[in-house]
Each structure stands twice: as structure tokens, then as C-alpha cells.
Amino acid sequence: MKLFKKLFLQIFLAFLVLSQAVFFYLIYESRRQAVESIQYYEKLSFRGKTGELDQKLRGMYETEEQEIQDRIVASAFRQYVGSQGILYRGTKELFNISAYEYEVEDVFKRTDDRENGLLLKNGERRLLLFWDMLTFGKNYRVLYYKDITDIYQRFDKLFLEGLLFTVGALLFIGAFLFHGIYRTIRPLVELKKTAALLADGNYGIRLPVRGKDEIAELTESFNQMAEKIEEHVEKLSAVNETQRQLLGSLAHELKTPMTAIIGYADTLLTLRLSERRREQALQYIGDECRRLSRLSVKMLELTGLYEMGESTIEKKEVEVLPFIEKVKELTFWRLQEKKLSLEISCTPEDLTKTMDQDLMMSLVMNLVDNAVKASKEGGKIWIRADERELSVKDEGKGIPLEDLARVTEAFYMVDKARARSAGSVGLGLAICEEIAMLHGARLSLESEEGKGTCVRISKGENC
């Protein structure tokens, strides 16, 4: 709520300063205009009275007796000017029935204010003074005043009333501002909370868009950003899953060939073989190592984690019988672990199929490896090929009916304990299905518990 407080205080203080400045200006101008109006009126009144006094005195004879003349002038002054005026000869006061006394020497020196008047503060009173010389006699001066204290008092009272009204108005406007700014800023607060939830991993959260202002546009942009983040995270998750699948795939694919490689290597180390058999064993080791090198690149391409300018997956016509005989040779050592026999058949014997030999070899060896795992010691496994399909059948423990539809899912394992002990991660049939789809074929399973499983790689509607 820091932004809310800043906005509220800034707007409130700006309004306070502006309103008080306008209020003070209006009070000051109103008072000034009132004083100027009174000043103008009193100036005219002063000139009229002194003019009448001068006219009256011009009809009288001047006397040498100063005291008598002062009384004559004072008497006329009382009649025409009255209590609002003070009569001086020089600086000597001749007539004053007002309640005020003045330092006339200072006043009379200010000749610039004689015509327009002088505003003077006398104690707590505010007085407006005018003065002039009479044409009669020598050195007679008239000082005229107007008490305008009540004007200042009225405006002081008006100022206090206006100040109280301003305080009340500010409280009301402050409450209105508080509510208005809160409603305006609330979407930003919600945006902050939602951003925190997004940072915590709740990528599906969105904000409702209210109105058509800039905050609504910001909310809409935030929702678009959240959607992009969610899509990006899903892609990263998919890549992570693919990487996990790839690592499992490679580990799975390496196991059976490595068994054959280790078997031939151990044979070379422990047995004295003829030169022909020794070369044959080394040839198998070399072939399998090269096949694994090619297979690792193809598996990367198959899982979408590795893109080359030219595809490494190469489909060509392959003779099926030599192909399955090669599978039998490569799985020999794996079969020997459980004393299993592998029977192969191909109809017709010169049957050929279009395939990537490395990937299809991996598929069939995976199926044979699964059959080995499921079979009891001394059992049999069959590989059969014809124009419609290629199948791998065993007499193993079979797959429960409820698991049959899910065995091709990545990382799904029917017998988890057996799979862990065998080092499996549940990727064999998932990889097999990917390879079959790459060849335009499908993988189908038939299984019965206690009787075994048959896996078919087939094409066409009747497979």
C-alpha cells in the first residue's frame, strides 16, 4: 500500500495548498477592494467638506489677533467637518473631539499619501487618514480620518469561518479521495498479490479485467505474460520429461548390446579361441559399438532433443531373415543368463522390409529383453516374421488385463519391484511404440497371466 499512501498524500496536500492559496487570495482581494472603495468615498467626502470650509472662510476678514482667528476657524471647522476631523495650525492642535491623537509631524511629512489617504494602525484600531492645507489664513491644516476597524474585523471573522469550512471540506474531500484512490489502486494491489502467486509456481492464475483504462490494459498484458510463462514452463517441463526419457532410453538401449559386448570380451579374455573365432568375436564387438554410436544419435533425434541439418534416420530395404538372425546372435549372452532358447522363423525366407536397421534392431531386442525378463529359466522365446507382421512371443508370466492398455506409457511398470531389481525405468515399450510409429506401423499386445505375451509390429487394417 505504499503507492496508495503516496498518491493519497500528494493529491491531498496539493489540494490543501491550492485551496488555501485560493482562499487567502480571495479574502485578501475582497478586503483590499472594500478598503479601496471606502477610501475613494471618504476622499470625495473629505474634499467636499474642506471645499465648503474654504469657501466659508474666504468670506471672513483675517485679523491680526491669532487667537481670535484660531477660534473663528475652529468654529467653522466644527460646523463643516465635525468630529471626524482635527484642525491644526502648523503642528499645534486647535480642534480635536475624536478619541485619537497622532504624531502629525510624521503624518504631514508623507506628502505622497495626502491625496489618496494613509492607512494607519492606532492601537487595535485601523484608521484611514486624509489631510490638506486650508487657503484661509496661514498654515491651517485639516486632518480627516475614517475608522475602518470593523471592515478588518468582518474579514477576520470571515477568514475564520472560511478556514473552518475549508477544514470540513478537506475532511470530506479526503474521505472521497481515499475511497476513489483505493478503488483505482486496488487492481494494482491484486496484481502484486497475483505476481507473488505466479512467482510461487501458480502459473494458471489470471486476473479479471475491469474497465477499459490503462490499469485494465496492464491487467490484460499481465494475463498475457502469465499465459506465455505458463506455456514456456510447460515446454520446459516437456523438455525435461523428454530428457528424462532420453536418459532412460539410452540406458535401456545400452543394456542388451553391452551384455553381448561384455560376453564376447570375457570370452576373448578367458578362452583360447581359434583365429577365426577370435576375429569373429572382435567383429561383433566392433559392430555393436558402432551401432550404439549411431543409435545414440538417432535416439536423440527421435526424442526431439537433437536436430541435425540432415536426418540420421535412414530407411532402406533390409532382408528380414538375416536381420532376426543378427538379433539372435546379439541376444545370445542375455538368453544364456536364464538358459532360454530363441527360435526364429521368416516366411518367405527372402522377405524384405523397409526400415532403419539400427532403430528396428533396438525395437526387436527390447521386445526380446522384455521376454527374457518375463520368462522362467529354461523357457522359450519365438521371433516370427511374415509379410504382415513381425512378432515376439514368450511363455512368461504375462501382463494383467488392467495393465495391458498402459504398458506403452513412458515410465509405467507392471512389476515395479522386478523392474527396479533389473535396473529398468519403464521405457522399453514406450520407445518401441515410437520406433514402430516412425515406420508407419503399430505395436499391439496380447497377453494372459501365467501363459505369456505376444507383441506384434504390424501394418494395415487387419494387423
Side-chain angles (χ1 to χ4, degrees):
M1 296 295 284
K2 293 179 180 178
L3 179 60
F4 170 74
K5 290 179 181 177
K6 287 181 180 178
L7 283 175
F8 176 74
L9 288 175
Q10 288 174 0
I11 295 174
F12 185 78
L13 289 174
F15 181 80
L16 175 63
V17 171
L18 181 62
S19 63
Q20 290 302 298
V22 171
F23 175 71
F24 290 148
Y25 174 76
L26 291 176
I27 290 292
Y28 172 79
E29 279 297 306
S30 297
R31 189 180 67 182
R32 185 183 63 80
Q33 291 176 10
V35 171
E36 286 181 353
S37 178
I38 294 173
Q39 189 175 11
Y40 177 76
Y41 174 78
E42 294 298 330
K43 180 171 69 172
L44 293 179
S45 177
F46 171 67
R47 286 179 178 176
K49 290 178 179 181
T50 54
E52 290 178 356
L53 178 60
D54 261 335
Q55 189 175 359
K56 176 67 176 178
L57 292 174
R58 276 198 297 270
M60 297 181 180
Y61 294 102
E62 295 187 23
T63 177
E64 296 294 331
E65 293 293 332
Q66 189 65 51
E67 185 177 350
I68 295 173
Q69 187 169 300
D70 288 345
R71 288 178 181 177
I72 293 171
V73 174
S75 176
F77 181 84
R78 178 196 295 265
Q79 180 182 356
Y80 288 97
V81 180
S83 61
Q84 282 188 279
I86 304 172
L87 179 63
Y88 295 91
R89 180 169 51 78
T91 57
K92 181 181 179 181
E93 187 178 274
L94 300 180
F95 179 84
N96 182 9
I97 59 174
S98 70
Y100 309 109
E101 293 185 359
Y102 306 96
E103 296 291 336
V104 292
E105 292 183 359
D106 294 334
V107 173
F108 293 155
K109 287 178 182 179
R110 300 177 66 170
T111 56
D112 293 339
D113 297 319
R114 184 176 67 179
E115 289 292 328
N116 296 319
L118 172 65
L119 187 61
L120 184 68
K121 187 174 182 181
N122 191 316
E124 295 183 356
R125 311 303 292 179
R126 299 275 184 169
L127 304 175
L128 187 60
L129 302 179
F130 301 90
W131 66 95
D132 204 353
M133 297 285 294
L134 293 177
T135 57
F136 178 80
K138 297 179 180 179
N139 205 20
Y140 286 106
R141 296 181 182 183
V142 176
L143 180 65
Y144 182 83
Y145 74 91
K146 174 66 177 178
D147 192 339
I148 57 173
T149 306
D150 59 329
I151 294 176
Y152 280 85
Q153 289 175 343
R154 285 201 306 271
F155 277 99
D156 287 345
K157 183 180 178 181
L158 182 63
F159 172 78
L160 291 175
E161 291 174 351
L163 192 60
L164 290 175
F165 174 79
T166 303
V167 171
L170 285 173
L171 291 175
F172 173 77
I173 293 171
F176 178 78
L177 277 175
F178 185 91
H179 179 70
I181 293 174
Y182 177 77
R183 287 192 61 184
T184 303
I185 213 79
R186 184 172 60 182
L188 295 179
V189 177
E190 293 176 354
L191 194 65
K192 175 189 173 185
K193 293 178 180 178
T194 306
L197 292 173
L198 190 67
D200 289 337
N202 189 356
Y203 303 113
I205 194 167
R206 299 291 184 273
L207 281 169
V209 179
R210 301 185 183 95
K212 296 182 179 180
D213 56 8
E214 288 78 1
I215 294 181
E217 292 175 359
L218 176 62
T219 303
E220 190 171 353
S221 298
F222 177 85
N223 287 339
Q224 292 174 0
M225 180 193 70
E227 187 174 350
K228 292 296 182 182
I229 291 174
E230 186 177 17
E231 290 177 3
H232 188 61
V233 169
E234 287 175 355
K235 287 180 182 178
L236 289 177
S237 299
V239 170
N240 184 56
E241 183 68 18
T242 306
Q243 289 175 337
R244 181 183 170 199
Q245 183 175 349
L246 171 67
L247 292 174
S249 300
L250 290 176
H252 192 279
E253 293 305 314
L254 287 171
K255 185 172 183 180
T256 302
M258 289 304 295
T259 301
I261 291 171
I262 292 169
Y264 282 114
D266 287 343
T267 300
L268 290 170
L269 290 171
T270 58
L271 298 178
R272 190 181 296 274
L273 301 175
S274 65
E275 185 65 23
R276 186 183 66 82
R277 291 292 302 276
R278 192 173 72 82
E279 288 180 359
Q280 188 179 27
L282 289 172
Q283 184 67 39
Y284 276 125
I285 292 172
D287 289 346
E288 278 305 284
C289 287
R290 282 187 287 273
R291 187 178 75 85
L292 287 177
S293 176
R294 296 192 304 272
L295 184 62
S296 63
V297 176
K298 291 177 181 181
M299 289 300 295
L300 284 170
E301 186 177 345
L302 186 65
T303 53
L305 290 180
Y306 185 63
E307 295 182 3
M308 299 185 67
E310 186 175 342
S311 176
T312 59
I313 299 174
E314 183 181 357
K315 296 178 185 178
K316 60 184 178 180
E317 287 292 320
V318 176
E319 293 184 7
V320 177
L321 183 58
F323 172 79
I324 57 179
E325 286 175 346
K326 180 73 171 177
V327 172
K328 183 174 181 178
E329 291 175 359
L330 292 175
T331 56
F332 172 78
W333 297 102
R334 182 80 173 101
L335 295 165
Q336 288 301 304
E337 292 176 0
K338 297 179 77 171
K339 297 181 175 60
L340 299 171
S341 62
L342 175 61
E343 294 185 6
I344 61 173
S345 65
C346 179
T347 306
E349 291 186 358
D350 61 349
L351 177 67
T352 62
K353 289 183 179 290
T354 302
M355 66 178 77
D356 181 292
Q357 189 166 347
D358 292 329
L359 290 176
M360 191 58 71
M361 182 75 70
S362 174
L363 189 160
V364 178
M365 289 179 68
N366 258 306
L367 298 181
V368 173
D369 186 62
N370 286 343
V372 171
K373 293 175 185 175
S375 298
K376 296 178 182 179
E377 194 169 328
K380 280 187 178 183
I381 298 172
W382 292 267
I383 299 178
R384 295 189 177 96
D386 57 33
E387 292 180 352
R388 290 179 61 249
E389 65 183 27
L390 187 151
S391 64
V392 177
K393 184 177 182 300
D394 64 66
E395 299 176 323
K397 61 192 301 183
I399 301 171
L401 184 62
E402 62 271 17
D403 294 317
L404 195 59
R406 299 189 61 192
V407 291
T408 56
E409 295 178 11
F411 305 105
Y412 185 80
M413 293 175 283
V414 176
D415 188 344
K416 295 178 176 57
R418 178 170 63 83
R420 281 193 295 269
S421 65
S424 176
V425 291
L427 277 167
L429 288 177
I431 298 168
C432 291
E433 189 170 49
E434 286 284 338
I435 296 172
M437 290 172 63
L438 181 68
H439 288 80
R442 71 172 187 177
L443 212 64
S444 59
L445 288 87
E446 295 176 3
S447 185
E448 187 176 349
E449 283 190 89
K451 292 187 178 181
T453 301
C454 180
V455 183
R456 292 184 171 86
I457 308 160
S458 55
K459 293 185 178 181
E461 296 180 357
N462 300 319
C463 38

